[in-house]
mmCIF file of all heavy atoms in Angstrom:
data_model
loop_
_atom_site.group_PDB
_atom_site.id
_atom_site.type_symbol
_atom_site.label_atom_id
_atom_site.label_comp_id
_atom_site.label_asym_id
_atom_site.label_seq_id
_atom_site.Cartn_x
_atom_site.Cartn_y
_atom_site.Cartn_z
ATOM 1 N N GLU A 15 -41.900 -49.319 -34.879
ATOM 2 C CA GLU A 15 -42.161 -50.639 -35.394
ATOM 3 C C GLU A 15 -41.805 -51.834 -34.451
ATOM 4 O O GLU A 15 -42.270 -52.920 -34.453
ATOM 5 C CB GLU A 15 -41.507 -50.881 -36.725
ATOM 6 C CG GLU A 15 -41.901 -49.916 -37.791
ATOM 7 C CD GLU A 15 -40.983 -50.003 -39.042
ATOM 8 O OE1 GLU A 15 -40.053 -50.795 -39.067
ATOM 9 O OE2 GLU A 15 -41.253 -49.234 -40.057
ATOM 10 N N ASP A 16 -40.844 -51.509 -33.521
ATOM 11 C CA ASP A 16 -40.557 -52.505 -32.490
ATOM 12 C C ASP A 16 -41.498 -52.662 -31.414
ATOM 13 O O ASP A 16 -42.541 -51.862 -31.339
ATOM 14 C CB ASP A 16 -39.118 -52.097 -31.856
ATOM 15 C CG ASP A 16 -38.062 -52.042 -32.871
ATOM 16 O OD1 ASP A 16 -38.066 -52.752 -33.780
ATOM 17 O OD2 ASP A 16 -37.236 -51.146 -32.758
ATOM 18 N N THR A 17 -41.330 -53.707 -30.638
ATOM 19 C CA THR A 17 -42.247 -53.949 -29.442
ATOM 20 C C THR A 17 -41.848 -53.067 -28.346
ATOM 21 O O THR A 17 -40.939 -53.325 -27.472
ATOM 22 C CB THR A 17 -42.279 -55.414 -28.989
ATOM 23 O OG1 THR A 17 -42.542 -56.254 -30.185
ATOM 24 C CG2 THR A 17 -43.152 -55.612 -27.941
ATOM 25 N N VAL A 18 -42.469 -51.742 -28.244
ATOM 26 C CA VAL A 18 -42.213 -50.877 -27.205
ATOM 27 C C VAL A 18 -43.383 -50.758 -26.345
ATOM 28 O O VAL A 18 -44.491 -50.362 -26.822
ATOM 29 C CB VAL A 18 -41.767 -49.492 -27.792
ATOM 30 C CG1 VAL A 18 -41.449 -48.475 -26.678
ATOM 31 C CG2 VAL A 18 -40.615 -49.620 -28.783
ATOM 32 N N VAL A 19 -43.227 -50.893 -25.061
ATOM 33 C CA VAL A 19 -44.355 -50.837 -24.077
ATOM 34 C C VAL A 19 -44.229 -49.579 -23.189
ATOM 35 O O VAL A 19 -43.169 -49.183 -22.882
ATOM 36 C CB VAL A 19 -44.277 -52.095 -23.218
ATOM 37 C CG1 VAL A 19 -45.377 -52.077 -22.087
ATOM 38 C CG2 VAL A 19 -44.590 -53.361 -23.971
ATOM 39 N N LEU A 20 -45.275 -48.924 -23.017
ATOM 40 C CA LEU A 20 -45.366 -47.694 -22.228
ATOM 41 C C LEU A 20 -45.176 -48.006 -20.737
ATOM 42 O O LEU A 20 -45.872 -48.916 -20.265
ATOM 43 C CB LEU A 20 -46.616 -46.853 -22.439
ATOM 44 C CG LEU A 20 -46.742 -45.530 -21.782
ATOM 45 C CD1 LEU A 20 -45.583 -44.651 -22.191
ATOM 46 C CD2 LEU A 20 -48.035 -44.952 -21.971
ATOM 47 N N GLY A 21 -44.294 -47.274 -20.118
ATOM 48 C CA GLY A 21 -43.998 -47.586 -18.681
ATOM 49 C C GLY A 21 -44.814 -46.813 -17.675
ATOM 50 O O GLY A 21 -45.622 -45.955 -18.024
ATOM 51 N N TYR A 22 -44.638 -47.099 -16.361
ATOM 52 C CA TYR A 22 -45.230 -46.509 -15.286
ATOM 53 C C TYR A 22 -45.048 -45.148 -15.192
ATOM 54 O O TYR A 22 -44.108 -44.684 -15.807
ATOM 55 C CB TYR A 22 -44.744 -47.245 -13.948
ATOM 56 C CG TYR A 22 -45.458 -47.000 -12.745
ATOM 57 C CD1 TYR A 22 -46.805 -47.513 -12.589
ATOM 58 C CD2 TYR A 22 -44.871 -46.251 -11.643
ATOM 59 C CE1 TYR A 22 -47.424 -47.356 -11.432
ATOM 60 C CE2 TYR A 22 -45.655 -46.056 -10.460
ATOM 61 C CZ TYR A 22 -46.949 -46.646 -10.373
ATOM 62 O OH TYR A 22 -47.684 -46.400 -9.286
ATOM 63 N N HIS A 23 -45.857 -44.301 -14.616
ATOM 64 C CA HIS A 23 -45.904 -42.876 -14.504
ATOM 65 C C HIS A 23 -46.411 -42.168 -15.756
ATOM 66 O O HIS A 23 -46.294 -41.044 -15.924
ATOM 67 C CB HIS A 23 -44.498 -42.301 -14.169
ATOM 68 C CG HIS A 23 -44.077 -42.812 -12.885
ATOM 69 N ND1 HIS A 23 -44.643 -42.834 -11.706
ATOM 70 C CD2 HIS A 23 -42.789 -43.475 -12.642
ATOM 71 C CE1 HIS A 23 -43.833 -43.314 -10.760
ATOM 72 N NE2 HIS A 23 -42.751 -43.729 -11.298
ATOM 73 N N CYS A 24 -46.824 -43.027 -16.717
ATOM 74 C CA CYS A 24 -47.410 -42.427 -18.049
ATOM 75 C C CYS A 24 -48.809 -42.937 -18.323
ATOM 76 O O CYS A 24 -49.114 -43.971 -17.786
ATOM 77 C CB CYS A 24 -46.434 -42.829 -19.217
ATOM 78 S SG CYS A 24 -44.796 -42.165 -18.920
ATOM 79 N N ALA A 25 -49.481 -42.341 -19.236
ATOM 80 C CA ALA A 25 -50.732 -42.805 -19.748
ATOM 81 C C ALA A 25 -50.784 -42.812 -21.210
ATOM 82 O O ALA A 25 -49.998 -42.125 -21.917
ATOM 83 C CB ALA A 25 -51.893 -41.853 -19.287
ATOM 84 N N LEU A 26 -51.482 -43.759 -21.742
ATOM 85 C CA LEU A 26 -51.536 -43.966 -23.186
ATOM 86 C C LEU A 26 -52.960 -43.450 -23.707
ATOM 87 O O LEU A 26 -53.972 -43.938 -23.121
ATOM 88 C CB LEU A 26 -51.346 -45.382 -23.546
ATOM 89 C CG LEU A 26 -51.156 -45.731 -25.054
ATOM 90 C CD1 LEU A 26 -50.333 -47.067 -25.212
ATOM 91 C CD2 LEU A 26 -52.586 -46.085 -25.595
ATOM 92 N N VAL A 27 -52.906 -42.527 -24.665
ATOM 93 C CA VAL A 27 -54.093 -41.963 -25.262
ATOM 94 C C VAL A 27 -54.088 -42.504 -26.675
ATOM 95 O O VAL A 27 -53.268 -42.029 -27.554
ATOM 96 C CB VAL A 27 -54.146 -40.438 -25.231
ATOM 97 C CG1 VAL A 27 -55.399 -39.935 -25.822
ATOM 98 C CG2 VAL A 27 -54.065 -39.982 -23.714
ATOM 99 N N ARG A 28 -55.132 -43.319 -27.098
ATOM 100 C CA ARG A 28 -55.207 -43.812 -28.442
ATOM 101 C C ARG A 28 -56.496 -43.195 -29.085
ATOM 102 O O ARG A 28 -57.579 -43.675 -28.864
ATOM 103 C CB ARG A 28 -55.273 -45.405 -28.442
ATOM 104 C CG ARG A 28 -55.381 -45.931 -29.780
ATOM 105 C CD ARG A 28 -54.887 -47.469 -29.761
ATOM 106 N NE ARG A 28 -53.445 -47.577 -29.521
ATOM 107 C CZ ARG A 28 -52.943 -48.667 -29.020
ATOM 108 N NH1 ARG A 28 -53.596 -49.743 -28.805
ATOM 109 N NH2 ARG A 28 -51.561 -48.674 -28.770
ATOM 110 N N PRO A 29 -56.297 -42.247 -29.916
ATOM 111 C CA PRO A 29 -57.507 -41.551 -30.487
ATOM 112 C C PRO A 29 -58.351 -42.440 -31.401
ATOM 113 O O PRO A 29 -57.808 -43.287 -32.069
ATOM 114 C CB PRO A 29 -56.858 -40.471 -31.258
ATOM 115 C CG PRO A 29 -55.467 -40.146 -30.644
ATOM 116 C CD PRO A 29 -55.045 -41.522 -30.275
ATOM 117 N N ASN A 30 -59.644 -42.205 -31.389
ATOM 118 C CA ASN A 30 -60.522 -42.831 -32.400
ATOM 119 C C ASN A 30 -60.462 -42.100 -33.609
ATOM 120 O O ASN A 30 -61.017 -41.000 -33.835
ATOM 121 C CB ASN A 30 -62.006 -42.779 -31.839
ATOM 122 C CG ASN A 30 -62.899 -43.407 -32.805
ATOM 123 O OD1 ASN A 30 -62.711 -43.600 -33.877
ATOM 124 N ND2 ASN A 30 -64.220 -43.720 -32.248
ATOM 125 N N LEU A 31 -59.699 -42.667 -34.691
ATOM 126 C CA LEU A 31 -59.387 -41.955 -35.910
ATOM 127 C C LEU A 31 -60.678 -41.555 -36.724
ATOM 128 O O LEU A 31 -60.536 -40.834 -37.687
ATOM 129 C CB LEU A 31 -58.309 -42.664 -36.687
ATOM 130 C CG LEU A 31 -57.046 -42.974 -35.893
ATOM 131 C CD1 LEU A 31 -56.115 -43.673 -36.892
ATOM 132 C CD2 LEU A 31 -56.423 -41.721 -35.413
ATOM 133 N N LYS A 32 -61.826 -42.139 -36.404
ATOM 134 C CA LYS A 32 -62.960 -41.768 -37.160
ATOM 135 C C LYS A 32 -63.531 -40.427 -36.634
ATOM 136 O O LYS A 32 -64.332 -39.839 -37.434
ATOM 137 C CB LYS A 32 -64.080 -42.846 -36.911
ATOM 138 C CG LYS A 32 -63.777 -44.144 -37.536
ATOM 139 C CD LYS A 32 -64.791 -45.266 -37.327
ATOM 140 C CE LYS A 32 -64.498 -46.556 -37.895
ATOM 141 N NZ LYS A 32 -65.643 -47.597 -37.568
ATOM 142 N N ILE A 33 -63.036 -40.051 -35.435
ATOM 143 C CA ILE A 33 -63.506 -38.822 -34.891
ATOM 144 C C ILE A 33 -62.522 -37.691 -34.899
ATOM 145 O O ILE A 33 -62.817 -36.601 -35.024
ATOM 146 C CB ILE A 33 -64.124 -39.053 -33.492
ATOM 147 C CG1 ILE A 33 -65.153 -40.130 -33.451
ATOM 148 C CG2 ILE A 33 -64.657 -37.783 -32.833
ATOM 149 C CD1 ILE A 33 -65.559 -40.587 -32.104
ATOM 150 N N VAL A 34 -61.321 -38.063 -34.550
ATOM 151 C CA VAL A 34 -60.199 -37.139 -34.284
ATOM 152 C C VAL A 34 -58.942 -37.498 -35.069
ATOM 153 O O VAL A 34 -58.652 -38.660 -35.274
ATOM 154 C CB VAL A 34 -59.979 -37.010 -32.834
ATOM 155 C CG1 VAL A 34 -61.009 -36.215 -32.026
ATOM 156 C CG2 VAL A 34 -59.589 -38.344 -32.185
ATOM 157 N N GLU A 35 -58.144 -36.490 -35.336
ATOM 158 C CA GLU A 35 -56.804 -36.570 -35.837
ATOM 159 C C GLU A 35 -55.849 -36.724 -34.764
ATOM 160 O O GLU A 35 -55.818 -35.801 -33.818
ATOM 161 C CB GLU A 35 -56.552 -35.416 -36.763
ATOM 162 C CG GLU A 35 -55.022 -35.066 -37.020
ATOM 163 C CD GLU A 35 -54.429 -36.210 -37.981
ATOM 164 O OE1 GLU A 35 -55.200 -36.812 -38.881
ATOM 165 O OE2 GLU A 35 -53.255 -36.402 -37.863
ATOM 166 N N SER A 36 -54.980 -37.728 -34.710
ATOM 167 C CA SER A 36 -54.157 -37.882 -33.675
ATOM 168 C C SER A 36 -53.169 -36.735 -33.386
ATOM 169 O O SER A 36 -52.994 -36.250 -32.246
ATOM 170 C CB SER A 36 -53.119 -39.088 -33.925
ATOM 171 O OG SER A 36 -53.851 -40.313 -33.670
ATOM 172 N N ARG A 37 -52.646 -36.046 -34.491
ATOM 173 C CA ARG A 37 -51.904 -34.930 -34.320
ATOM 174 C C ARG A 37 -52.537 -33.649 -33.717
ATOM 175 O O ARG A 37 -51.980 -32.887 -32.952
ATOM 176 C CB ARG A 37 -51.176 -34.482 -35.662
ATOM 177 C CG ARG A 37 -50.186 -35.495 -36.201
ATOM 178 C CD ARG A 37 -49.806 -35.083 -37.607
ATOM 179 N NE ARG A 37 -50.975 -35.030 -38.530
ATOM 180 C CZ ARG A 37 -50.931 -34.560 -39.747
ATOM 181 N NH1 ARG A 37 -49.842 -33.875 -40.185
ATOM 182 N NH2 ARG A 37 -51.994 -34.579 -40.589
ATOM 183 N N TYR A 38 -53.961 -33.658 -33.929
ATOM 184 C CA TYR A 38 -54.698 -32.548 -33.296
ATOM 185 C C TYR A 38 -54.788 -32.800 -31.773
ATOM 186 O O TYR A 38 -54.707 -31.916 -31.022
ATOM 187 C CB TYR A 38 -56.039 -32.461 -33.981
ATOM 188 C CG TYR A 38 -56.918 -31.368 -33.254
ATOM 189 C CD1 TYR A 38 -56.728 -30.153 -33.561
ATOM 190 C CD2 TYR A 38 -57.753 -31.763 -32.302
ATOM 191 C CE1 TYR A 38 -57.378 -28.992 -32.922
ATOM 192 C CE2 TYR A 38 -58.441 -30.815 -31.554
ATOM 193 C CZ TYR A 38 -58.298 -29.509 -31.941
ATOM 194 O OH TYR A 38 -59.088 -28.525 -31.265
ATOM 195 N N VAL A 39 -55.105 -34.056 -31.452
ATOM 196 C CA VAL A 39 -55.294 -34.414 -30.026
ATOM 197 C C VAL A 39 -53.919 -34.110 -29.268
ATOM 198 O O VAL A 39 -53.863 -33.528 -28.264
ATOM 199 C CB VAL A 39 -55.537 -35.894 -29.891
ATOM 200 C CG1 VAL A 39 -55.474 -36.237 -28.345
ATOM 201 C CG2 VAL A 39 -57.021 -36.199 -30.375
ATOM 202 N N PHE A 40 -52.784 -34.416 -29.898
ATOM 203 C CA PHE A 40 -51.469 -34.141 -29.411
ATOM 204 C C PHE A 40 -51.361 -32.581 -29.102
ATOM 205 O O PHE A 40 -50.942 -32.179 -28.008
ATOM 206 C CB PHE A 40 -50.324 -34.672 -30.306
ATOM 207 C CG PHE A 40 -49.056 -34.107 -30.034
ATOM 208 C CD1 PHE A 40 -48.341 -34.178 -28.815
ATOM 209 C CD2 PHE A 40 -48.393 -33.410 -31.104
ATOM 210 C CE1 PHE A 40 -47.143 -33.764 -28.604
ATOM 211 C CE2 PHE A 40 -47.025 -32.895 -30.927
ATOM 212 C CZ PHE A 40 -46.472 -33.158 -29.650
ATOM 213 N N ARG A 41 -51.596 -31.831 -30.095
ATOM 214 C CA ARG A 41 -51.488 -30.381 -29.968
ATOM 215 C C ARG A 41 -52.476 -29.815 -28.947
ATOM 216 O O ARG A 41 -52.095 -28.894 -28.190
ATOM 217 C CB ARG A 41 -51.730 -29.632 -31.342
ATOM 218 C CG ARG A 41 -50.688 -30.052 -32.380
ATOM 219 C CD ARG A 41 -49.285 -29.678 -31.904
ATOM 220 N NE ARG A 41 -48.264 -30.016 -33.046
ATOM 221 C CZ ARG A 41 -46.900 -29.896 -32.755
ATOM 222 N NH1 ARG A 41 -46.489 -29.478 -31.649
ATOM 223 N NH2 ARG A 41 -46.073 -30.143 -33.764
ATOM 224 N N ALA A 42 -53.649 -30.336 -28.848
ATOM 225 C CA ALA A 42 -54.728 -29.922 -27.944
ATOM 226 C C ALA A 42 -54.169 -30.186 -26.588
ATOM 227 O O ALA A 42 -54.299 -29.250 -25.606
ATOM 228 C CB ALA A 42 -56.062 -30.561 -28.109
ATOM 229 N N LEU A 43 -53.545 -31.352 -26.333
ATOM 230 C CA LEU A 43 -53.036 -31.707 -24.998
ATOM 231 C C LEU A 43 -51.794 -30.892 -24.660
ATOM 232 O O LEU A 43 -51.424 -30.795 -23.481
ATOM 233 C CB LEU A 43 -52.737 -33.171 -24.881
ATOM 234 C CG LEU A 43 -53.926 -34.053 -25.047
ATOM 235 C CD1 LEU A 43 -53.559 -35.636 -24.974
ATOM 236 C CD2 LEU A 43 -54.958 -33.788 -23.908
ATOM 237 N N GLN A 44 -51.106 -30.327 -25.752
ATOM 238 C CA GLN A 44 -50.076 -29.333 -25.458
ATOM 239 C C GLN A 44 -50.515 -27.927 -25.032
ATOM 240 O O GLN A 44 -49.678 -27.215 -24.497
ATOM 241 C CB GLN A 44 -49.120 -29.290 -26.601
ATOM 242 C CG GLN A 44 -48.134 -30.400 -26.849
ATOM 243 C CD GLN A 44 -47.084 -30.099 -27.877
ATOM 244 O OE1 GLN A 44 -47.507 -29.472 -28.913
ATOM 245 N NE2 GLN A 44 -45.935 -30.309 -27.598
ATOM 246 N N SER A 45 -51.643 -27.634 -25.320
ATOM 247 C CA SER A 45 -52.205 -26.281 -25.087
ATOM 248 C C SER A 45 -52.302 -25.862 -23.703
ATOM 249 O O SER A 45 -52.587 -26.679 -22.778
ATOM 250 C CB SER A 45 -53.469 -26.036 -25.808
ATOM 251 O OG SER A 45 -54.501 -26.754 -25.125
ATOM 252 N N SER A 46 -52.236 -24.558 -23.461
ATOM 253 C CA SER A 46 -52.313 -24.092 -22.061
ATOM 254 C C SER A 46 -53.732 -24.260 -21.474
ATOM 255 O O SER A 46 -53.816 -24.525 -20.292
ATOM 256 C CB SER A 46 -51.969 -22.604 -22.044
ATOM 257 O OG SER A 46 -52.780 -21.875 -22.853
ATOM 258 N N SER A 47 -54.747 -24.315 -22.287
ATOM 259 C CA SER A 47 -56.039 -24.508 -21.717
ATOM 260 C C SER A 47 -56.227 -25.904 -21.155
ATOM 261 O O SER A 47 -56.858 -26.147 -20.131
ATOM 262 C CB SER A 47 -57.117 -24.328 -22.777
ATOM 263 O OG SER A 47 -56.927 -25.222 -23.985
ATOM 264 N N VAL A 48 -55.671 -26.859 -21.816
ATOM 265 C CA VAL A 48 -55.701 -28.363 -21.256
ATOM 266 C C VAL A 48 -54.792 -28.485 -20.245
ATOM 267 O O VAL A 48 -55.122 -29.159 -19.143
ATOM 268 C CB VAL A 48 -55.413 -29.361 -22.428
ATOM 269 C CG1 VAL A 48 -55.303 -30.751 -21.825
ATOM 270 C CG2 VAL A 48 -56.471 -29.237 -23.528
ATOM 271 N N ALA A 49 -53.527 -27.904 -20.284
ATOM 272 C CA ALA A 49 -52.567 -27.986 -19.123
ATOM 273 C C ALA A 49 -53.212 -27.394 -17.957
ATOM 274 O O ALA A 49 -52.917 -27.891 -16.768
ATOM 275 C CB ALA A 49 -51.330 -27.229 -19.541
ATOM 276 N N TYR A 50 -54.031 -26.302 -18.055
ATOM 277 C CA TYR A 50 -54.595 -25.828 -16.821
ATOM 278 C C TYR A 50 -55.565 -26.831 -16.079
ATOM 279 O O TYR A 50 -55.487 -26.920 -14.840
ATOM 280 C CB TYR A 50 -55.475 -24.608 -17.306
ATOM 281 C CG TYR A 50 -56.424 -24.024 -16.142
ATOM 282 C CD1 TYR A 50 -55.843 -23.108 -15.204
ATOM 283 C CD2 TYR A 50 -57.716 -24.297 -16.038
ATOM 284 C CE1 TYR A 50 -56.698 -22.573 -14.113
ATOM 285 C CE2 TYR A 50 -58.565 -23.868 -15.033
ATOM 286 C CZ TYR A 50 -57.877 -23.007 -14.088
ATOM 287 O OH TYR A 50 -58.771 -22.480 -13.103
ATOM 288 N N GLN A 51 -56.213 -27.571 -16.826
ATOM 289 C CA GLN A 51 -57.066 -28.654 -16.257
ATOM 290 C C GLN A 51 -56.271 -29.681 -15.536
ATOM 291 O O GLN A 51 -56.585 -30.172 -14.465
ATOM 292 C CB GLN A 51 -57.996 -29.316 -17.367
ATOM 293 C CG GLN A 51 -58.971 -28.439 -18.080
ATOM 294 C CD GLN A 51 -59.628 -29.070 -19.141
ATOM 295 O OE1 GLN A 51 -60.660 -29.839 -18.975
ATOM 296 N NE2 GLN A 51 -59.166 -28.872 -20.411
ATOM 297 N N PHE A 52 -55.157 -30.109 -16.186
ATOM 298 C CA PHE A 52 -54.302 -31.145 -15.554
ATOM 299 C C PHE A 52 -53.767 -30.516 -14.257
ATOM 300 O O PHE A 52 -53.706 -31.262 -13.218
ATOM 301 C CB PHE A 52 -53.116 -31.472 -16.454
ATOM 302 C CG PHE A 52 -53.508 -32.286 -17.662
ATOM 303 C CD1 PHE A 52 -52.859 -32.172 -18.870
ATOM 304 C CD2 PHE A 52 -54.519 -33.134 -17.721
ATOM 305 C CE1 PHE A 52 -53.066 -33.007 -19.939
ATOM 306 C CE2 PHE A 52 -54.953 -33.891 -18.761
ATOM 307 C CZ PHE A 52 -54.178 -33.739 -19.932
ATOM 308 N N HIS A 53 -53.337 -29.433 -14.216
ATOM 309 C CA HIS A 53 -52.728 -28.786 -12.992
ATOM 310 C C HIS A 53 -53.645 -28.584 -11.969
ATOM 311 O O HIS A 53 -53.420 -28.906 -10.700
ATOM 312 C CB HIS A 53 -51.943 -27.463 -13.264
ATOM 313 C CG HIS A 53 -50.891 -27.627 -14.457
ATOM 314 N ND1 HIS A 53 -50.465 -26.500 -15.116
ATOM 315 C CD2 HIS A 53 -50.174 -28.728 -14.742
ATOM 316 C CE1 HIS A 53 -49.442 -27.044 -15.912
ATOM 317 N NE2 HIS A 53 -49.331 -28.339 -15.857
ATOM 318 N N VAL A 54 -54.892 -28.180 -12.162
ATOM 319 C CA VAL A 54 -55.920 -27.927 -11.106
ATOM 320 C C VAL A 54 -56.460 -29.222 -10.640
ATOM 321 O O VAL A 54 -56.973 -29.375 -9.447
ATOM 322 C CB VAL A 54 -57.036 -27.076 -11.430
ATOM 323 C CG1 VAL A 54 -56.498 -25.680 -11.782
ATOM 324 C CG2 VAL A 54 -57.874 -27.527 -12.657
ATOM 325 N N ARG A 55 -56.443 -30.297 -11.380
ATOM 326 C CA ARG A 55 -56.934 -31.660 -11.027
ATOM 327 C C ARG A 55 -55.914 -32.530 -10.447
ATOM 328 O O ARG A 55 -56.313 -33.610 -9.869
ATOM 329 C CB ARG A 55 -57.551 -32.307 -12.222
ATOM 330 C CG ARG A 55 -58.835 -31.604 -12.807
ATOM 331 C CD ARG A 55 -59.285 -32.425 -14.121
ATOM 332 N NE ARG A 55 -60.554 -31.899 -14.502
ATOM 333 C CZ ARG A 55 -61.406 -32.628 -15.198
ATOM 334 N NH1 ARG A 55 -60.972 -33.756 -15.710
ATOM 335 N NH2 ARG A 55 -62.602 -32.124 -15.574
ATOM 336 N N ALA A 56 -54.694 -32.170 -10.414
ATOM 337 C CA ALA A 56 -53.626 -33.026 -9.832
ATOM 338 C C ALA A 56 -53.822 -33.128 -8.370
ATOM 339 O O ALA A 56 -54.066 -32.181 -7.653
ATOM 340 C CB ALA A 56 -52.318 -32.350 -10.190
ATOM 341 N N LYS A 57 -53.566 -34.244 -7.894
ATOM 342 C CA LYS A 57 -53.678 -34.640 -6.419
ATOM 343 C C LYS A 57 -52.312 -35.042 -5.844
ATOM 344 O O LYS A 57 -51.506 -35.543 -6.621
ATOM 345 C CB LYS A 57 -54.681 -35.819 -6.246
ATOM 346 C CG LYS A 57 -56.040 -35.732 -6.908
ATOM 347 C CD LYS A 57 -56.863 -34.636 -6.287
ATOM 348 C CE LYS A 57 -58.352 -34.630 -6.852
ATOM 349 N NZ LYS A 57 -59.134 -33.573 -6.276
ATOM 350 N N GLY A 58 -52.210 -34.610 -4.565
ATOM 351 C CA GLY A 58 -50.972 -35.018 -3.883
ATOM 352 C C GLY A 58 -50.386 -33.913 -3.087
ATOM 353 O O GLY A 58 -50.912 -32.737 -3.187
ATOM 354 N N VAL A 59 -49.350 -34.309 -2.302
ATOM 355 C CA VAL A 59 -48.680 -33.427 -1.421
ATOM 356 C C VAL A 59 -47.138 -33.220 -1.837
ATOM 357 O O VAL A 59 -46.749 -32.152 -2.291
ATOM 358 C CB VAL A 59 -48.811 -33.707 0.003
ATOM 359 C CG1 VAL A 59 -48.019 -32.702 0.880
ATOM 360 C CG2 VAL A 59 -50.333 -33.789 0.413
#
């Protein structure tokens, strides 16, 4: 309820509630199948 702003090094995902359930998106992003995509797409040395 307070004014909390998301900081640097993070991304904000705001689901379209007409299409998806927020808790489902959260669990999907926790899954190994999605984590695999994040890891192979990560850039840097």
Side-chain angles (χ1 to χ4, degrees):
E15 297 176 2
D16 297 324
T17 304
V18 182
V19 174
L20 184 63
Y22 195 64
H23 305 305
C24 298
L26 189 151
V27 178
R28 182 160 291 160
N30 180 343
L31 300 183
K32 294 180 180 179
I33 304 172
V34 289
E35 160 71 30
S36 290
R37 293 174 297 165
Y38 176 82
V39 173
F40 163 59
R41 296 301 183 184
L43 293 179
Q44 280 192 317
S45 70
S46 58
S47 58
V48 173
Y50 173 81
Q51 297 175 79
F52 288 151
H53 297 160
V54 297
R55 292 175 169 203
K57 305 293 185 183
V59 178

